[in-house]
Amino acid sequence: LGRSLGRLPTQSLGRLPIHVEYKDVFPQWRPKDLKEVVPQLDDDGLDLLARLLMYDPAQRISAKQALQHPYFHDLDVEFCSNV
């Protein structure tokens, strides 16, 4: 995850729900463009994934919000309710 999103921002440490032992010696990965990581996703899929993969939980999209995301707008709701 860190290789794709880059290094955890130090300002996010206090807002994480669990204790994280953070060391400055961790690799200094730069974030990658998610299009390189999952090239098969369209723009809506990439936007949803980026919102789900936020380090800071306060900035992360909720499950309810995610289900309302345009990525799912063409989903056949009747089909899914029968699965």
Side-chain angles (χ1 to χ4, degrees), residues 48 52 61-72:
L48 176 60
L52 288 167
I61 192 172
S62 71
K64 185 175 182 177
Q65 291 168 326
L67 290 172
Q68 300 300 317
H69 192 276
Y71 181 73
F72 296 116

Side-chain angles (χ1 to χ4, degrees), residues 38-58:
V38 279
Q40 65 275 24
L41 277 180
D42 63 14
D43 289 340
D44 284 336
L46 291 168
D47 180 66
L48 176 60
L49 185 60
R51 292 170 186 256
L52 288 167
L53 293 178
M54 299 295 293
Y55 279 120
D56 185 346

Side-chain angles (χ1 to χ4, degrees), residues 22-41:
Y22 188 80
K23 300 182 188 296
D24 283 333
V25 294
F26 286 155
Q28 300 284 328
W29 291 310
R30 297 203 185 280
K32 289 184 181 177
D33 185 349
L34 286 177
K35 185 76 171 168
E36 294 176 29
V37 180
V38 279
Q40 65 275 24
L41 277 180

